[in-house]
Amino acid sequence: MNNRKKRKSLSLLLVFVLVLAGILSGCGKSSGSNDDSKTIKLGVLEDRSGDFSLVGIQKYHAAQLAVEEINKQGGLLGKKVQMVAPDTQSDNKRYQEMAKRLILQDKVAAIMGAFSSASREAIRPIMDQNKMLYFYNNQYEGGVADNMTFNTGAIPEHQMVPLIQYMIKKFGPRVYTIAADYNFGQISAQWVKKTVEANGGKLVNEEFIPLGVSQFSSTISRIKKAKPDVLVTLLVGQDQSSFYEQWSKSGDKSIPMASTVNMAQAYEHKRFAAPALANMYVTATFMEELDQKYPSAKKFVDKFYKKFPNDKYVGMEAESEYTGIMLWAKAVKKAKSTDTDKVIKALESGISYDGPAGPVTIDPKTHHAIRNVYLVHTDAKQKVHIDTEWKDVKPDWLSKEKNVDLTKKQEAKQYTPLK
Amino acid sequence: MSKEAVLLELRHVGKYFGGLRAVDDINIKVESGDLHCLLGPNGAGKSTIFKMIMGIYKPTNGSVFFNQRNVTHLKSWDRVKLGISIKMQTPGVFGELTVYENMKIAVQHFTRHAEVKSEVSRLLELLMIRDLKDELVDNLSHGQQQWLEIGMALACKPKLLLLDEPAAGMGPEETDRTAELIRQLNQQGITILFIDHDMAFVKKLARNTTVLHLGRKFAEGTVEEIETNQQVVDIYLGKS
Amino acid sequence: MEDLLYQFMNNFAFLILSAIGLAVIFGMMKIINLAHGEFIMLGAYIATLATKAGIPLLLSILLSVVGVGIFGLIVDRLIISRLYGRTLDSVVVTWGVSLVMQQGILILFGPSLETLSTPLGSISIGGSDYSLYRILLFVTAIVLLILLYLLFTKTTFGLHSRAAMQNAEIARSMGVNTNRIYSFTFSIGAALAGLTGALYAPTMAVSPTFGGGFLMPSFVTVIVGGANPLIGPSLSGGVLGVVSTGLDATWGTFFGRLGLLVVAILVIRIMPLGFSGLVEKLSVRKSRG
Amino acid sequence: MLLTADRVFSGYGKVDIVRSVSITVNEGEIVSIIGRNGVGKSTFVKTVMGLLPAHSGSIRFQEQDVTRSKANDRARQGMGYVPQGHGVFPTLTVEENLMMGTQINKKKPSMNLLTIYDYFPKLKERKRQKAGTLSGGEQAALAIGRALAGYPELLILDEPSEGIQPSIIHQISEMIRKINRELGITILFVEQHMGMIQELSERCYAMDKGVIVGEVGGEDLHNYDRLKSYLTV
Amino acid sequence: MLVKLNTENIVAVLIFLFFFVYPVLVDAYSVMNLAYFLSMVFLSLSLSLIWGYCGIFSFGQAVFFGISGYFYAVFTLNSGITTLTPLGLILGVLIGGVIAWILGYFMFYGGVNDVFVGLITLCLTLVLETFMGQTAGDQWMIGQVNLGGFNGINSIPSLQIGSFILTGNSFYYFVLLILLAVFIFLKWFEFSKLGIAVVAIRENRERTKLLGYNVPFIQSLVFAMGGALASLSGIFYVLWGNYITPSAFGLASATIPVVLVAAGGRKNVTAALLFTVLYYWFSQTLSASGSEYALIILGLVLIVAILFVPNGLIASLFHAGDQLFFREHSKSLLRKKGAKTL
């Protein structure tokens, strides 16, 4: 082969590789190089495709709404808030990649997001490593004690404890739990057990359903045999929500169901034809239907649908996301800085925001929220009735039983009730 | 002849496919140094016997002995290591590799690394296809592929070489060359068992012959005996 | 006992209906359709949307069958027809198809649909309620198996497709347009998936990920059943139905699910051609002996 | 002229195995193509049948250019084909195999299965049996019967003698001749079995290395040495 | 043979040169990100080895990826001694290899081959996903480590050699050096004695047996090597994110290597390497854009790639490069990779 040809080919390939390098590094830098701009960047990681998009899109829209409002009112510290929101695609790997990207490349001031506990656990250590302020605005199984993490959603003290007490008192002591077979379901089931025992009830059985199971005939037959007074359902995801339709056809509809995840999160009562979700009792920190009774809720719901007229529901996770961003904004204003330590200090000062479902206050010791809880149930036509409300429920299990005080002690772990 | 001299022995070997008895109760002895032919019309079970000797098929009943050792349950590759090697009816060469590479695959397993090249050359020389060393095997003629495959079988340094229709599809010149090659190999001490239809070819080579018909042993003896056996002639003409 | 029977019927119907479309496509064309779940999902969407639009359920189900069948035909003509005989490439391509379909539906219809109510109500036997519709699903599964058997053994199409499966070149020399046979087979497989989706739509939550739950049972049923779409699914559906019902009833859902997979692994190891391979072997032996 | 192939080039992939082959077959004739293994005989008849594309050249059948039409269309137009090794569908029953033939073209009359069973009485005995369980000779009969069932104008046979005992080869030759005489079906066959070639052909083309090297007809067909020179070089 | 001048080898040299200077050109995030892509390259290479070289089609690389990831997590978290992390890495790779060997033994000695290997391994990944998914309870402790169910295990220690913790650039270079070593090994392996036998097995399994090769043994061996490589990938993934979940065993994880190797060019390790990096970069960029069309674009790209470039996108580019610049129509499969689908 002659040398000229060799050189020609080499140079062509070199060009190819350089172009490739340019693309790779260019992509790495293009969006991250404007640190000193006139915006404050807020990272939002929510699933807009895949399994969790049902709730993820609601939360993403709520975040858009919150950021828009903040900017309308003049932004923060004289700067506009710019939302950086990759699609995490219901993929935990993606959560990690994107969290690192938001922190290291986009240099965001704080990160909101994650729906499932698994997604949260995927990114929480990254937040700790990089000292990034993180808001997990979601209902969950509780127990996370982490200096960098704040939670504005509902936890078992808000939901499970009052719910079980109410159900046992109203319907009887025999409780049957079916729960998704993963961390959320198992820890929540521990809460059920703990609360049932504390209230003189009896747990007749607890059954764990692997994620992705959509056929429930054996479970239904076991429940019917056990004849419980209350059926607690802690089912997660689209597949498992098929339970209700199947239960309504071959189960015993006279047994009342109780849940902390249904309706307020994934609006099963609107998606399923009656009476699949009939006779269901739920404790929630927010639901669209609160607008019947509470003006602040109505205002929020109206705003939401005005901006997103095609959306189907505004649930409690959307409210948490919205409130979380508002709380963060308030803290930034108070700290007069986006510096993480200062903002955390401001948040730990017992900061409070009057949200769509009443005041939400950060509990400094646990970084969880003190907030109102509503108990609702559905009638045979799946119409929602608001039964009771508890005001300013404290998330104090961590501080009382586990001696967590994040203002004094560094922590980065999740506690479970039975350990 | 002493018992030690029997290299290959089939004892009451049978192979059934479902209800079909492809091979039924066959006894064959091949002595060391023999040049032995399996004869028989199509469907007589000749190739099936070869496959059982090689361990490609497991006999339904009976046993295969090689060098006084029962090899019925040995895997193909272990039999190759004991010294049985085969050229199959349809060429099993690697069409997308070159002749040299084909030979290398076969040779490297039985020859020390430093000697692979010279061994390949020696075999290609023997087979008279040295000029085709760098040719893609797919471009070879049918006859050349057959030789290559014989070469690959030889690379395994066999004591017993099975040749299934070694001259099929060859012209007379190629056939003669093949016959010469087989005789030469036999003289070097390799025992050869082969299948063929062409009586002229068989007559040139074989000392002992076993005739199969419909899966059973029909006759055996020297080529001359077989040739004059009226019953053998009959089965070939379909009278039996 | 009625309970166990009812559960078996449920499991059997679910396994058969999950697998049947996949079995036809894999058995006849050796195409591994990773978009099978999405075809099922599409069927569920068409049935749900049509029913919401006021079309009677039965007609909506029919619409799904036709709709997904036509969709399958389009996918075949555009994509699969270029891959006949390339089993492994079909894995990659159909995976791509599934990504496109799932996200496409999400963009078009959002993350979930309002679900239909299961029709027909329930009957009470021995003091226990059983969904009539689910019993009907079991009957449908069996009827479907019979229809499929008739289609492939009694019709010209069936004869031609079995011939094409064995030796496409010779079938072509017998006047069979094998490409049309393959297209039609793929379309039938898709239509069956659509039917499955439509049938289960009123019993489950309908979302873009609807098909995901069907994928594992369908693959396991096809694997255990083997290549023959006529014998395979019915046998493996029966055996796996018993296994999963038994494990589920004694040790719970998790073991029921794990059991399916373990059976599949063992079956491939012991008889790679599955039940239908075994049956074919026995039947040849019988007709020879 | 029933079939004309004009300077046909074809092969697998891009390589030409058949190079510029031209033949003609007249109505009612029995024509053979002879030659050794691997000279391109099968490739050529597969091209005639449409199972392989012609790289260049043309094929006319019944005065129509069929060079670009597909195998299934040629079959429907009246070409019957008996592949090498007979190619029965092993897990279909004998009757189903035959039905493949009767359904070749629904617009044309097909042959009654009974007629076929008349020609091949063995097949009738075994009509419910899986074709894979038949003996070699029976499979050959089935393959011929199957092609016959579509009532072709032209029957193409690729090495009908292959894998068959010598005694049966003779029977098959007679059967093919009978089909030609009684049903008026034109025959084109590929062969290297001397006996069959001599017994059956009215005219034959000799092929070597992808080209036609000679044409033999009439008295020459009984010239053993001449034929032998084509079959063994 | 190794330094033969053709497009593939030139590109390989350039890629590695580029990788070595990359940290100088870009910020810390991009380096970490490429480290992640490179970790996933091992997974593709493992499939390239067993599928491309040996013709074993497997969905099971995710099995070894996940098992070794979990092993590393449990081992290092239990030992609590961070200097033992390299031992965790080595043991993890060995265990992945051994498990692959056992699985290979189970399959190949039992005569399971071709698409059935794919099906068994697919079932096995799903078994592991199902099983690991339900290990959230307290009964699933190994030593002091809870397997963590669906949420998986996090805060897994990074690799520490002596007192030096490998993070950032040092982790990147560590991965890169091992990748280079593995890459050179694979290139050498192709023409080694075993490598040639492996190609023979891919081309004609039965015939290779008749040349005296113990085919199931060689298949198991190559499968074990593939398992070890996949394990390396799994551990690097864990080191990158300090995290592992059962989704490592999921359908998507099982499918991705197949997709990458098939679309890149299965008989060519450079193609697998390059395509893996490009794919991860592309899909991540799409995801970061937040576009709802990301997955649709990705799906369409894969479909088009397989339909129009069946021998693999990158491998075909190499081939075109060879024809353009080197005018060499090398004759044999051993030299011309990816020329024909198997």
Side-chain angles (χ1 to χ4, degrees), chain A residues 91-138:
Chain A
D91 177 354
N92 297 332
K93 237 187 203 177
R94 202 57 104 199
Y95 265 96
Q96 290 204 315
E97 294 168 33
M98 290 304 144
K100 290 189 179 182
R101 190 186 176 97
L102 289 182
I103 297 166
L104 296 170
Q105 190 178 298
D106 295 317
K107 308 216 161 32
V108 296
I111 292 177
M112 306 277 147
F115 170 69
S116 79
S117 293
S119 311
R120 178 198 69 231
E121 288 307 301
I123 54 176
R124 199 167 52 81
I126 297 175
M127 306 296 174
D128 289 325
Q129 264 171 26
N130 294 287
K131 297 269 169 265
M132 172 56 55
L133 174 57
Y134 170 51
F135 275 72
Y136 177 51
N137 303 309
N138 215 88

Side-chain angles (χ1 to χ4, degrees), chain B residues 182-199:
Chain B
I182 292 173
R183 198 177 302 121
Q184 207 181 328
L185 293 173
N186 185 245
Q187 277 161 6
Q188 290 169 11
I190 300 173
T191 310
I192 291 173
L193 180 60
F194 72 101
I195 296 173
D196 215 292
H197 290 293
D198 182 356
M199 253 346 243

Side-chain angles (χ1 to χ4, degrees), chain E residues 229-241:
Chain E
L229 272 184
S231 299
L232 202 56
S233 185
I235 294 174
F236 283 155
Y237 171 69
V238 165
L239 289 174
W240 177 80

Side-chain angles (χ1 to χ4, degrees), chain C residues 86 103 215 254 261 269 272, chain E residues 106 116 127 134 251 292 310:
Chain C
R86 285 158 60 189
Q103 189 63 16
L215 208 56
F254 167 66
L261 292 163
R269 174 60 163 75
Chain E
F106 172 79
F116 299 105
V127 164
Q134 56 87 54
L251 189 64
E292 57 185 348

Side-chain angles (χ1 to χ4, degrees), chain E residues 18-286:
Chain E
F18 171 70
F19 284 164
F20 272 101
V21 297
Y22 189 67
V24 183
L25 305 171
V26 295
D27 58 12
Y29 165 74
S30 302
V31 174
M32 267 323 270
N33 217 18
L34 187 57
Y36 164 58
F37 298 166
L38 294 186
S39 305
M40 303 316 281
V41 166
F42 290 95
L43 193 58
S44 300
L45 292 184
S46 82
L47 189 67
S48 214
L49 171 65
I50 66 168
W51 188 23
Y53 284 12
C54 196
I56 303 166
F57 175 69
S58 160
F59 274 117
Q61 299 319 93
V63 169
F64 315 117
F65 180 91
I67 284 181
S68 61
Y70 270 100
F71 171 81
Y72 178 82
V74 170
F75 178 83
T76 52
L77 284 171
N78 265 322
S79 78
I81 308 161
T82 47
T83 45
L84 280 183
T85 48
L87 186 64
L89 173 79
I90 292 163
L91 284 178
V93 171
L94 283 178
I95 282 174
V98 168
I99 291 176
W101 197 84
I102 293 170
L103 180 63
Y105 183 86
F106 172 79
M107 294 191 299
F108 302 125
Y109 280 83
V112 177
N113 271 303
D114 304 322
V115 78
F116 299 105
V117 173
L119 296 176
I120 280 200
T121 47
L122 182 65
C123 287
L124 194 62
T125 51
L126 294 177
V127 164
L128 285 166
E129 188 196 19
T130 311
F131 177 77
M132 292 309 294
Q134 56 87 54
T135 55
D138 294 332
Q139 68 274 34
W140 295 107
M141 300 285 289
I142 298 183
Q144 315 153 26
V145 183
N146 188 326
L147 289 181
F150 186 71
N151 288 11
I153 305 175
N154 63 26
S155 306
I156 302 164
S158 294
L159 199 63
Q160 187 174 340
I161 295 173
S163 59
F164 185 69
I165 300 173
L166 292 176
T167 53
N169 282 359
S170 58
F171 175 64
Y172 171 83
Y173 277 114
F174 180 70
V175 173
L176 183 57
L177 281 173
I178 293 189
L179 180 64
L180 184 61
V182 165
F183 185 82
I184 290 172
F185 168 77
L186 287 175
K187 282 277 175 194
W188 167 83
F189 179 75
E190 248 179 290
F191 297 98
S192 71
K193 188 176 161 184
L194 183 60
I196 287 169
V198 160
V199 170
I201 290 173
R202 176 185 77 200
E203 296 295 310
N204 189 340
R205 212 164 43 229
E206 289 310 315
R207 178 66 214 177
T208 311
K209 281 181 193 167
L210 296 178
L211 293 173
Y213 289 100
N214 186 341
V215 169
F217 176 78
I218 296 173
Q219 284 179 308
S220 305
L221 193 69
V222 173
F223 199 66
M225 283 164 60
L229 272 184
S231 299
L232 202 56
S233 185
I235 294 174
F236 283 155
Y237 171 69
V238 165
L239 289 174
W240 177 80
N242 305 101
Y243 170 74
I244 179 109
T245 70
S247 66
F249 298 115
L251 189 64
S253 313
T255 319
I256 280 275
V258 176
V259 168
L260 294 180
V261 171
R266 85 180 61 129
K267 290 173 191 164
N268 187 309
V269 285
T270 316
L273 185 157
L274 192 56
F275 192 77
T276 304
V277 171
L278 288 175
Y279 174 89
Y280 274 93
W281 167 76
F282 183 60
S283 84
Q284 196 186 60
T285 309
L286 281 174

Side-chain angles (χ1 to χ4, degrees), chain A residues 176-182 184-190 192 206-211 216 219 231-236 240:
Chain A
Y176 194 113
T177 308
I178 53 171
D181 198 356
Y182 82 113
F184 165 78
Q186 296 195 347
I187 296 176
S188 299
Q190 290 178 10
V192 175
E206 55 179 9
E207 191 174 332
F208 295 101
I209 315 287
L211 293 169
F216 291 91
T219 304
L231 173 64
V232 177
T233 64
L234 299 164
L235 301 175
V236 167
Q240 292 195 346

